[in-house]
Amino acid sequence: LTPSAEWNYRMPVAHSLKDRLACCQTHGQLAQTDGAEGMCSYSSHDPLFLEGYHALAEFSWNPTATNDLRHFEERFCRRVFGPHWLRGERALKWMTEAYAPWRDIFGKMFSSARPKDEIGEFIVIVAFNKELCERTAYENSIVTLEIASAEFRALAEERPAYRDLLLMYASDCDWVAAVLDISLAALETVRHYHCARSEVDNETLQDAFESSFAEVERARDRLTEAMAMVEKARHPATAPSVLQMLTGLREFGGEFVALSRKLLRELKKGDAGTIPLYHDNLLNLQGEDLGFQPLED
């Protein structure tokens, strides 16, 4: 049998680890029932997914030990974090819970190589998702990921044998937080632009628009720093895949700021303009009413 031990190395470790652990457990039980002689995983190796490897071993050698994954997860935390296992367990929980609301969005943005224009489309589509469009949803996840990253880095000093793994966890938190940060800044820019274009002579609204795309620049710098941490912490065989998709987002951010500067100049001349981010009709939303128009082919 060949289950996956979660080696989707383009995505954050929090993206589907729980599902893959359950997969290893189920395949272990099937292996025993069917009289299989062994199990192996079919995917590429990445040390980031050590918990997946442990699950593969656990449920290969001892498939009927427990049906409760929490027992396995506690043993894993005790092994990696030693006397600090409760802190480590809590940090892993923070990481997975902060990422959970954005799982589908990240899957659409990054599960395969996409042009930066499509990445930008996905970012702004989120603005129209009633469950995710609140600024606090982004901020809560960003802050939680920052706390988790700091804890992993502290634990890396306490557990030198697992230092590389814990720095991988920390860099994962860093780049996910950076993606959310630049996404939020872009959404806020779109919202402020929509307000400014409705009253083209209102200098206060123009100033708010200008401040918002300045936040995109700041967030883009943060993404650059997170990419440097990924390059340093992740395994050299898999880091380029993550950096490739983040490079597309970084380039989008630069072009988005340049476009916003142009729109600000037009606003100051009394021309409302548009933000051309979409190839289609915003998933049946009335995009033109919000200041959008399709990109030219």
Side-chain angles (χ1 to χ4, degrees):
L1 291 176
T2 55
S4 169
E6 173 37 42
W7 301 317
N8 183 353
Y9 50 81
R10 291 180 60 88
M11 301 300 290
V13 67
H15 186 74
S16 56
L17 183 58
K18 298 292 184 183
D19 294 340
R20 297 301 94 206
L21 295 180
C23 177
C24 290
Q25 181 187 49
T26 299
H27 276 75
Q29 294 167 347
L30 289 173
Q32 185 182 55
T33 300
D34 295 344
E37 295 182 357
M39 286 171 60
C40 64
S41 182
Y42 61 76
S43 195
S44 301
H45 173 68
D46 190 331
L48 174 64
F49 299 110
L50 181 65
E51 189 171 2
Y53 296 119
H54 276 264
L56 190 67
E58 170 77 9
F59 298 113
S60 297
W61 288 97
N62 196 17
T64 59
T66 176
N67 288 321
D68 191 340
L69 280 176
R70 291 175 299 179
H71 296 164
F72 162 76
E73 290 167 345
E74 178 180 326
R75 290 198 301 278
F76 175 77
C77 288
R78 287 181 180 275
R79 167 62 66 88
V80 172
F81 301 109
H84 313 290
W85 74 271
L86 285 173
R87 288 172 55 196
E89 183 181 57
R90 185 171 62 239
L92 286 170
K93 181 180 179 181
W94 287 335
M95 179 176 70
T96 54
E97 290 184 351
Y99 177 76
W102 317 99
R103 182 180 184 277
D104 291 343
I105 297 299
F106 271 65
K108 291 175 181 177
M109 287 172 62
F110 296 133
S111 60
S112 60
R114 295 186 182 277
K116 54 182 177 293
D117 291 335
E118 291 188 12
I119 292 174
E121 290 179 15
F122 285 123
I123 285 177
V124 187
I125 283 173
V126 182
F128 304 99
N129 184 318
K130 293 181 179 179
E131 295 180 359
L132 297 178
C133 66
E134 294 298 326
R135 183 182 184 93
T136 53
Y138 284 87
E139 291 175 336
N140 289 342
S141 287
I142 291 170
V143 169
T144 301
L145 288 164
E146 290 171 344
I147 295 172
S149 176
E151 184 72 320
F152 285 132
R153 293 183 191 284
L155 288 164
E157 298 302 316
E158 301 286 346
R159 300 290 289 170
Y162 293 94
R163 183 177 184 275
D164 291 347
L165 172 68
L166 300 184
L167 292 180
M168 289 181 187
Y169 285 160
S171 72
D172 244 34
C173 292
D174 293 340
W175 79 256
V176 172
V179 169
L180 294 178
D181 197 6
I182 197 171
S183 301
L184 173 59
L187 295 182
E188 292 292 294
T189 299
V190 170
R191 293 168 182 166
H192 282 294
Y193 171 68
H194 176 49
C195 293
R197 77 187 295 269
S198 66
E199 299 181 39
V200 294
D201 296 326
N202 191 318
E203 293 184 1
T204 300
L205 295 179
Q206 292 177 12
D207 290 343
F209 173 50
E210 184 173 13
S211 296
S212 64
F213 67 72
E215 283 295 297
V216 177
E217 289 188 295
R218 177 200 55 76
R220 186 167 177 262
D221 289 340
R222 175 179 184 166
L223 179 63
T224 302
E225 294 174 1
M227 291 171 65
M229 296 307 300
V230 168
E231 184 175 22
K232 184 177 180 180
R234 287 291 294 265
H235 191 276
T238 58
S241 296
V242 180
L243 295 173
Q244 177 190 25
M245 61 189 188
L246 295 182
T247 297
L249 177 56
R250 185 178 181 278
E251 291 177 353
F252 161 77
E255 294 179 4
F256 185 87
V257 170
L259 174 61
S260 297
R261 291 188 185 281
K262 178 182 177 182
L263 290 172
L264 180 62
R265 291 194 296 270
E266 294 175 353
L267 284 170
K268 291 182 180 296
K269 295 177 182 178
D271 183 1
T274 56
I275 295 184
L277 287 178
Y278 289 89
H279 295 283
D280 52 30
N281 62 351
L282 282 177
L283 303 181
N284 298 319
L285 293 166
Q286 297 301 311
E288 186 60 28
D289 294 339
L290 297 168
F292 300 104
Q293 65 182 12
L295 285 168
E296 297 293 334
D297 293 330

